[in-house]
């Protein structure tokens, strides 16, 4: 069990961000308990979970989308959650295609095979 300072250090997330995630219901209750003084005590598993959250945020998931997926109070069906995830996968694949095109173009510039205003 860890305190919020420990979680912050292990994940690289500021304490204010961890509290924000809690307010947005992005951190499920399963990861948080309260001690006798009502301080938050986090399970060890939260580190991996938060690293996954950071990864998802880096691929254009919004806080609201992630909250919707993990918030047990919203009572979304599996199909509704699946649709959100499938749409995000498609968006990521579209971004990957665009990045691949950009990479090919940049390589062509380096090889002198693309017309570009400045020479490398």
């Amino acid at each position: 069990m860890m305190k919020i300072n420990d979680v912050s250090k292990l994940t690289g997330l500021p304490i204010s961000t961890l509290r924000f995630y809690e307010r947005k219901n992005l951190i499920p209750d399963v990861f948080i308990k309260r001690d006798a003084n009502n301080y938050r005590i986090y399970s060890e598993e939260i580190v991996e979970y938060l690293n996954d959250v950071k990864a998802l945020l880096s691929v254009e998931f919004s806080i609201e989308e992630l909250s919707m997926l993990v918030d047990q109070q919203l009572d979304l069906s599996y199909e509704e959650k699946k649709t959100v995830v499938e749409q995000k996968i498609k968006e990521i694949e579209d971004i990957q295609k665009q990045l691949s095109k950009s990479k090919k173009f940049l390589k062509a510039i380096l090889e002198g095979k693309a017309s570009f205003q400045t020479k490398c």
Side-chain angles (χ1 to χ4, degrees):
M1 295 299 227
M2 302 178 291
K3 293 190 177 189
I4 199 164
N5 286 346
D6 302 320
V7 175
S8 176
K9 288 176 187 169
L10 290 170
T11 61
L13 294 169
I15 291 171
S16 59
T17 299
L18 295 171
R19 289 188 176 134
F20 173 76
Y21 287 176
E22 285 182 39
R23 285 193 306 275
K24 292 291 187 175
N25 295 318
L26 190 54
I27 300 177
D29 294 339
V30 68
F31 295 114
I32 307 170
K33 304 278 186 247
R34 296 283 181 160
D35 68 8
N37 295 320
N38 207 28
Y39 290 116
R40 294 172 187 89
I41 301 295
Y42 298 89
S43 67
E44 303 285 330
E45 293 82 18
I46 195 165
V47 174
E48 184 176 344
Y49 172 80
L50 289 172
N51 286 332
D52 291 341
V53 166
K54 288 188 326 185
L56 291 172
L57 289 172
S58 75
V59 292
E60 306 297 320
F61 260 95
S62 69
I63 295 287
E64 289 74 22
E65 289 169 325
L66 288 177
S67 295
M68 183 177 63
L69 292 176
V70 300
D71 189 347
Q72 297 158 345
Q73 297 171 359
L74 287 180
D75 198 32
L76 290 179
S77 71
Y78 169 78
E79 288 302 317
E80 290 170 310
K81 290 179 180 184
K82 181 180 172 189
T83 299
V84 170
V85 172
E86 287 173 339
Q87 177 60 36
K88 195 53 68 175
I89 289 170
K90 183 180 178 335
E91 289 174 25
I92 291 168
E93 288 170 345
D94 291 344
I95 291 168
Q96 286 175 320
K97 287 177 188 174
Q98 185 58 46
L99 288 172
S100 180
K101 286 180 186 178
S102 296
K103 183 179 176 181
K104 285 179 185 177
F105 177 68
L106 291 172
K107 283 185 174 184
I109 291 171
L110 288 175
E111 296 168 1
K113 296 178 182 176
S115 69
F116 199 66
Q117 292 181 0
T118 49
K119 295 182 180 180
C120 292

